[in-house]
Amino acid sequence: MKIPSLNQTQRRTAFALLAVAASMPLLATRSLAQGNEARHGAGEMSEHATMRASRTGLDGYCPVCVVEARKWEKGRPDIHSTFDNVTYYFPNQAIRAKFDANPQKYVPALNGDCIVCYEKAGKRIAGSVKHAAIHRDRLYLFPGEGEKQAFLKEPAAYEASDLAANGVCVVCLAKANKHVAGSPNHTVIHDGLRYQFPTAQEANVFRQSPQTFLEKGMMASKAEMQSVSSNAVQLVGRSGCAACEFGVTPLGAPEELGLAVVDASGRVTVVENAHEDYPQIYQDRFEGKQLSLEGKIVKSQGKIDWVQPTSLRVIH
C-alpha cells in the first residue's frame, strides 16, 4: 500500500498509525503478576490483542538487568509483569517492583520491533536479543547485524521514529482542535509507540480509551509533517539558551536548559542532546556564537523546531 503525496517518513508514520488502528484491541490492559486491575482499560480484548498479551518479551531475559547492569539474566516465569501487552520476566520481586515503578524506562523501543525497519519501510519486524543495542540507556532490538550497524552508525536518524504524532498531544487535538506539544515527562507507550502529553491529565484520558485518539494522531502527524517541507535542515544562526530565552527544552532531555540556534528570520531550533554530543558549544551557548547546524527535524511547532544534529560547529 502506498500513501500518495507523502515522503518516506510521512508514509512510515501513516502506515504505523493505520496498522495500530487496524490491530488495536478494544481495550488495552496492563496486568501485574499479582493480578492487579489493569490501568489501561478493562473489558474484552480482540483475538489479536489476546495473542499479543501472551507474548514473552526479550525471550524471558530481564529488561531491568539489561538496561541497568548491561547483563543478560533470565527471569523467572512466576515473577512477571505485563506492559503494553508484552510480558517480561524478572529474577526476583525487588527487580520486578523496580520495573513496575517505571516500565517505560526498561522496555525495548517499539516493543522489541526493529526501529530501522520501521523508519525506512514503515514495517513492524521483530528484533532479536542476539542483535541488541543500548543507546542513551534505551534498549533496541534488530532482526540482523545489518540493521543494528545502520542504527549505531546514525542513531539520530532513528531514535525518534517511534514518537507518535510528532509529539503533538492527540487528546488536545481531539477535544480542542489544538496542536499542543507533549512532554517526555508525560509519555504513554501504546503498541510500542510513544504518545506525549502536556500534563498527566491528558495522558490518563488517553490511557482510558486510546483507540478514540488514533485517527487524530494520524491527522496530527500529517499536519505536522506538511508544515515542514523537508526533515533535513541546514542553517546558520546565533547560539542561545532554549529554556532561558524561549521557554522550551530538548525533547530527549527536558531536565536540561538546552541549546538553541536562532537564524536571521528569528526561527528557533533546539539541538537535541547538545549537552552530551557537543559539550563545549553547549557550555558556551550564552555567548551568542555563530553556529552552523545540520540535522533532521524531529518535531516542529510554531516558530520552533527540534533537531537531531548530524553536524554542529562554531563559525566564529
Side-chain angles (χ1 to χ4, degrees):
M1 176 180 177
K2 292 185 177 179
I3 308 295
S5 303
L6 298 178
N7 62 31
Q8 184 183 67
T9 304
Q10 291 172 317
R11 288 199 302 272
R12 173 187 55 74
T13 304
F15 265 122
L17 287 163
L18 282 170
V20 174
S23 64
M24 226 224 23
L26 293 178
L27 289 168
T29 63
R30 177 175 185 253
S31 60
L32 301 180
Q34 297 176 336
N36 292 341
E37 183 177 356
R39 293 195 295 171
H40 298 290
E44 293 185 355
M45 293 191 297
S46 66
E47 180 180 355
H48 173 81
T50 302
M51 292 173 61
R52 287 187 63 82
S54 64
R55 180 162 66 94
T56 300
L58 298 181
D59 291 348
Y61 287 99
C62 168
V64 178
C65 300
V66 175
V67 173
E68 289 205 341
R70 305 297 197 264
K71 179 181 179 182
W72 289 91
E73 181 175 348
K74 282 283 189 178
R76 292 170 44 181
D78 60 323
I79 304 178
H80 66 271
S81 281
T82 299
F83 177 80
D84 198 22
N85 295 323
V86 180
T87 298
Y88 299 94
Y89 297 164
F90 309 94
N92 58 58
Q93 296 287 359
I95 294 179
R96 192 200 75 164
K98 182 175 289 189
F99 175 88
D100 290 341
N102 188 11
Q104 296 174 153
K105 177 180 178 180
Y106 303 109
V107 297
L110 276 178
N111 280 350
D113 291 339
C114 173
I115 203 162
V116 173
C117 304
Y118 186 53
E119 168 67 29
K120 288 186 173 181
K123 295 181 179 180
R124 298 288 291 263
I125 297 176
S128 168
V129 296
K130 297 179 181 179
H131 304 286
I134 295 180
H135 176 66
R136 293 178 185 164
D137 290 328
R138 193 177 186 210
L139 178 62
Y140 299 83
L141 303 183
F142 307 93
E145 194 63 20
E147 291 82 5
K148 176 181 174 179
Q149 292 305 318
F151 174 82
L152 293 176
K153 182 179 180 180
E154 192 180 4
Y158 304 105
E159 59 187 334
S161 298
D162 61 336
L163 183 60
N166 293 318
V168 170
C169 171
V170 293
V171 173
C172 303
L173 185 63
K175 291 183 172 293
N177 197 30
K178 292 183 178 180
H179 283 69
V180 179
S183 166
N185 294 328
H186 303 291
T187 297
V188 177
I189 295 179
H190 178 74
D191 199 28
L193 298 175
R194 293 179 295 144
Y195 291 82
Q196 294 184 347
F197 306 91
T199 71
Q201 180 178 352
E202 291 84 10
N204 288 331
V205 170
F206 179 83
R207 287 191 184 99
Q208 292 170 9
S209 184
Q211 68 272 22
T212 304
F213 305 101
L214 291 179
E215 183 179 353
K216 288 296 184 182
M218 181 180 293
M219 292 172 60
S221 295
K222 289 182 178 179
E224 290 294 299
M225 286 294 188
Q226 290 169 359
S227 70
V228 181
S229 59
S230 171
N231 281 344
V233 64
Q234 185 175 11
L235 61 91
V236 173
R238 70 164 179 86
S239 65
C241 176
C244 306
E245 294 187 52
F246 309 104
V248 294
T249 58
L251 300 175
E255 70 281 1
E256 294 289 336
L257 293 176
L259 168 66
V261 180
V262 187
D263 67 16
S265 70
R267 190 163 189 84
V268 178
T269 299
V270 181
V271 183
E272 288 293 296
N273 209 50
H275 63 292
E276 291 184 355
D277 294 342
Y278 306 96
Q280 190 59 55
I281 296 177
Y282 181 75
Q283 182 178 335
D284 297 339
R285 65 191 182 279
F286 298 101
E287 298 181 10
K289 294 184 176 181
Q290 285 293 108
L291 304 178
S292 174
L293 170 66
E294 296 180 20
K296 173 185 174 183
I297 296 175
V298 295
K299 181 178 178 180
S300 181
Q301 183 178 7
K303 70 171 187 176
I304 300 176
D305 297 325
W306 284 259
V307 166
Q308 289 286 359
T310 56
S311 172
L312 179 66
R313 60 189 179 88
V314 178
I315 300 176
H316 58 78

